């Protein structure tokens, strides 16, 4: 069987050329006589891999020198605790609620700090990004947390809140490397690898150095102190070596395509193909208004649950998989991450047109 | 270049047949049209992989039904915190200090609980396993912690302390699946995957159900509560999917070889080859006495640092890599984990004999 068109929301499709390279060297990495999985993380050959991985990420994201890059474990969910455990000083933090992951971040955060809910789009099932009323921002907030792209609800922040001196902390799990971002606007960026960067089990943290104080709330494990990892270049203990290597291959792939700006152009093109059709279709419609639409997760419905189900089933038969929407939105979700080829989006749109014709 | 003889202490050698299978299906797992790395962790195809992985581990270790198996992240170092955060009720725990990792477990543990140091072998640079004086055990200890195999110092517990009703907690990172263990003797077993089970980034926890109460010390993150993972079959958030799949392939490989008892026989044979030679050599000697020798990490010295260095260098040229001992012991360390073929040990012994002849 051929490879499928994989619209999975995560873990998700990886570039074929990356997988082919990993496959080729799976038993013998560059003449080392061993797999990357079999290397001591402190061996020269592996130290070169992780150093190159970081260097390529720094290059493609233009990460300023006063930011540390860390490759950690535990996913974004672990960050929901680590952030307040490490950043709480005044005991108050601003959060915006734009969906399920933001809600989880708030719930976990509230165990460590007072939460000021600046804005929420819960009133409309999170189908938009709320406006900011700056008068609601806390002046003494330890940080300001957003979930920048909302995988389940198909929204994204197209503008960032101006938080002044309060560090902006962004969960970019589903949009990192998809668009050009100015890292210097953030105090901290974090992202699980399993959408735009590699296999599950690696979370990338990009953090302004002055925020890495080593001072934490009581009972914070050594492994959850950012300083532990920052001071040891992500090598305090054995890191997820193979996942980091794979992420490095993905970063090189982005670089060779022309960098994040080129990636963004392709993503905009892919998204436009699908959104344009959704806006003209009389069967399918996007669940999110134009202003707040995600480039990575495109959510849509027919308005008829049975027809949605039929569509998902027939699409799967046609080799287009993981299109079922998340249960809190229903309908369909096409995740169009960096590694999803434009051909997959074209195939989907063609299939939707055909389906619409046949099911009028 | 051929594959090398890889004596790495971890991450370490994997079975060639496992790597070849992973390589073959790296772009298309069993006709799914995608890599295991690209699968939604909640898809049927992946749920089958993790369920089979757990089932095979349960079978080869004969894990009783009243134990939960969890696939977590963060390595053994994260467990050093999670254990006291979850198990502390009376606020006292017994620990045995048998090396660097035990020391780290104690240091981190002491941040959460009073530590009763039952025994230590620090007086002789950890080159033996201390005797137990049962009168030193705490009657109300929340748990009793041991590091069962000491990767750096080449020792292992050949007998377990009888802790009565106090749950025995064992770090088996470097000896899990190397010998037959009676799981029912333990309250909890934990092991980083990167030595005997698969790539770094997965830690396996086997825990008696009555110990998973959900009650924790204050400020324990949701992700560090065992109940979060036990209740969700390691799927509370995205697990390290590819590492778990690889571990599953390793478990099947052990099963096909005849299970852990067969594995133990091969390990004893491999270790005997090297220890017997060390005991008769007039150049090389083992650093650990016969009673406490590890089957997995065999440490030895010439007594002459320059000669040690020469040996390591020439061995590497001969295709035998990662033989340099850890700095706190010096000399050499040959890690002979499950996946290291007996041919690698034979090649090493032959090389040592030749080296001894040539450097008399």
């Amino acid at each position: 069987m051929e490879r499928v068109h994989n619209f999975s929301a995560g873990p998700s499709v990886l570039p074929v050329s990356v997988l082919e390279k990993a496959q080729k060297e799976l038993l013998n990495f560059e003449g080392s006589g061993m797999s990357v999985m079999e290397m001591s993380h402190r061996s020269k050959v592996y130290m070169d891999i992780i150093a190159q991985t970081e260097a390529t990420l720094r290059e493609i994201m233009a990460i300023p020198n006063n930011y540390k890059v860390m490759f950690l474990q535990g996913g974004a969910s672990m960050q929901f605790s680590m952030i307040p455990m490490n950043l709480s000083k005044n005991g108050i933090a601003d959060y915006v609620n734009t969906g399920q992951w933001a809600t989880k971040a708030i719930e976990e955060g509230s165990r460590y700090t007072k939460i000021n809910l600046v804005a929420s789009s819960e009133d409309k099932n999170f189908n938009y990004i709320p406006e900011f009323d700056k008068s609601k921002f806390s002046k003494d907030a330890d940080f300001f947390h957003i979930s920048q792209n909302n995988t389940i609800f198909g929204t994204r922040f197209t503008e960032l809140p101006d938080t002044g001196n309060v560090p902006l902390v962004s969960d970019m799990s589903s949009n990192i490397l998809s668009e050009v971002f100015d890292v210097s606007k953030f105090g901290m960026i974090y992202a699980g690898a399993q959408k735009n960067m590699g296999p599950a089990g690696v979370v990338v943290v990009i953090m302004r150095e002055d925020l890495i104080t080593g001072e934490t709330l009581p009972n914070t494990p050594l492994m959850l102190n950012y300083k532990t990892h920052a001071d040891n270049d992500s090598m305090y203990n054995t890191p997820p070596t193979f996942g980091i290597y794979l992420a490095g291959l993905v970063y090189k792939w982005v670089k060779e395509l022309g960098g994040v700006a080129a990636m963004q152009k392709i993503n905009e093109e892919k998204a436009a193909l699908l959104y344009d059709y959704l806006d003209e279709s009389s069967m399918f419609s996007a669940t999110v208004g134009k202003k707040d639409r995600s480039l990575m997760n495109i959510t849509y419905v027919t308005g008829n649950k049975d027809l949605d189900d039929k569509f998902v089933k027939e699409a799967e038969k046609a080799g287009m998989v993981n299109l079922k929407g998340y249960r809190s939105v229903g309908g369909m979700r096409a995740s169009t991450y960096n590694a999803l080829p434009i051909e997959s989006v074209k195939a989907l749109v063609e299939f939707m047109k055909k389906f619409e014709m046949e099911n009028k």
Side-chain angles (χ1 to χ4, degrees), chain A:
Chain A
M1 191 185 169
E2 299 276 309
R3 280 176 52 88
V4 290
H5 298 293
N6 185 0
F7 296 93
S8 174
S12 40
V13 62
L14 289 164
V16 169
S17 63
V18 164
L19 289 172
E20 282 173 345
K21 185 161 167 55
Q23 182 179 48
K24 195 168 158 237
E25 54 202 24
L26 202 76
L27 277 89
N28 193 344
F29 174 80
E30 293 186 359
S32 64
M34 60 181 84
S35 175
V36 172
M37 289 185 254
E38 301 175 297
M39 286 173 187
S40 164
H41 54 299
R42 307 210 185 271
S43 61
K44 188 183 172 314
V45 55
Y46 189 75
M47 299 280 272
D48 285 351
I49 291 174
I50 194 170
Q52 264 190 47
T53 299
E54 180 179 335
T56 313
L57 181 63
R58 283 187 174 278
E59 184 182 344
I60 60 178
M61 286 187 76
I63 299 172
N65 284 335
N66 63 326
Y67 284 72
K68 282 273 185 190
V69 172
M70 291 171 260
F71 299 99
L72 306 182
Q73 297 186 56
S77 296
M78 191 77 258
Q79 294 305 309
F80 298 163
S81 318
M82 278 180 83
I83 291 161
M85 288 180 117
N86 282 267
L87 297 184
S88 291
K89 310 292 167 202
N90 301 327
I92 174 108
D94 288 355
Y95 279 76
V96 181
N97 192 1
T98 52
Q100 181 171 308
W101 293 102
T103 303
K104 286 196 178 198
I106 291 166
E107 277 172 6
E108 183 67 5
S110 70
R111 301 178 55 225
Y112 305 96
T113 179
K114 203 182 147 199
I115 302 266
N116 173 40
L117 188 65
V118 170
S120 169
S121 52
E122 197 173 2
D123 59 331
K124 292 188 180 163
N125 198 31
F126 300 113
N127 72 357
Y128 69 105
I129 298 293
E131 298 289 320
F132 302 113
D133 174 358
K134 279 195 75 170
S135 72
K136 290 194 173 169
F137 294 13
S138 315
K139 286 215 178 57
D140 55 348
D142 292 313
F143 59 91
F144 188 116
H145 183 276
I146 60 170
S147 304
Q148 209 173 326
N149 183 82
N150 297 282
T151 322
I152 290 173
F153 298 96
T155 62
R156 86 185 203 278
F157 284 71
T158 48
E159 272 178 275
L160 294 176
D162 176 8
T163 61
N165 287 328
V166 173
L168 181 62
V169 173
S170 178
D171 182 351
M172 284 200 192
S173 293
S174 53
N175 69 336
I176 194 164
L177 303 180
S178 71
E179 294 177 69
V180 176
F181 299 113
D182 179 352
V183 174
S184 72
K185 296 236 187 296
F186 299 87
M188 172 187 169
I189 290 167
Y190 65 100
Q194 68 269 19
K195 294 164 198 291
N196 262 342
M197 297 193 288
V202 182
V203 59
V204 173
V205 171
I206 302 165
M207 200 162 184
R208 219 175 58 214
E209 279 174 350
D210 62 288
L211 298 174
I212 308 170
T213 62
E215 283 167 46
T216 60
L217 295 185
N219 277 2
T220 299
L222 190 63
M223 283 285 291
L224 300 192
N225 188 325
Y226 290 116
K227 196 163 162 49
T228 302
H229 302 288
D231 285 355
N232 290 285
D233 294 324
S234 306
M235 287 280 203
Y236 170 72
N237 69 337
T238 317
T241 50
F242 187 74
I244 292 169
Y245 149 76
L246 233 294
L249 294 182
V250 172
Y251 301 156
K252 272 185 209 156
W253 171 81
V254 172
K255 185 181 161 182
E256 280 159 18
L257 274 179
V260 177
M263 200 77 252
Q264 175 174 346
K265 205 162 157 273
I266 302 169
N267 286 330
E268 284 166 348
E269 203 180 329
K270 278 160 31 183
L273 272 173
L274 188 44
Y275 283 125
D276 286 351
Y277 170 63
L278 288 170
D279 288 339
E280 75 192 25
S281 164
S282 50
M283 175 181 278
F284 298 103
S285 58
T287 63
V288 174
K290 289 188 182 183
K291 188 179 74 66
D292 301 325
R293 287 175 177 175
S294 170
L295 293 179
M296 296 284 102
N297 311 97
I298 301 178
T299 48
Y300 57 99
V301 293
T302 65
N304 173 335
K305 206 196 155 300
D306 293 339
L307 200 58
D308 288 346
D309 291 347
K310 188 181 179 197
F311 174 80
V312 169
K313 215 169 279 175
E314 293 191 8
E316 184 162 339
K317 271 187 210 146
M320 282 163 259
V321 306
N322 292 317
L323 281 164
K324 193 172 161 58
Y326 197 85
R327 61 180 178 279
S328 44
V329 179
M332 279 68 68
R333 170 176 55 179
S335 293
T336 53
Y337 293 118
N338 283 358
L340 187 85
I342 195 162
E343 289 69 31
S344 292
V345 180
K346 285 180 180 163
L348 176 61
V349 171
E350 283 318 301
F351 182 80
M352 287 167 74
K353 285 181 180 166
K354 188 165 152 277
F355 185 88
E356 184 168 355
M357 287 281 286
E358 289 170 3
N359 291 275
K360 262 189 194 167

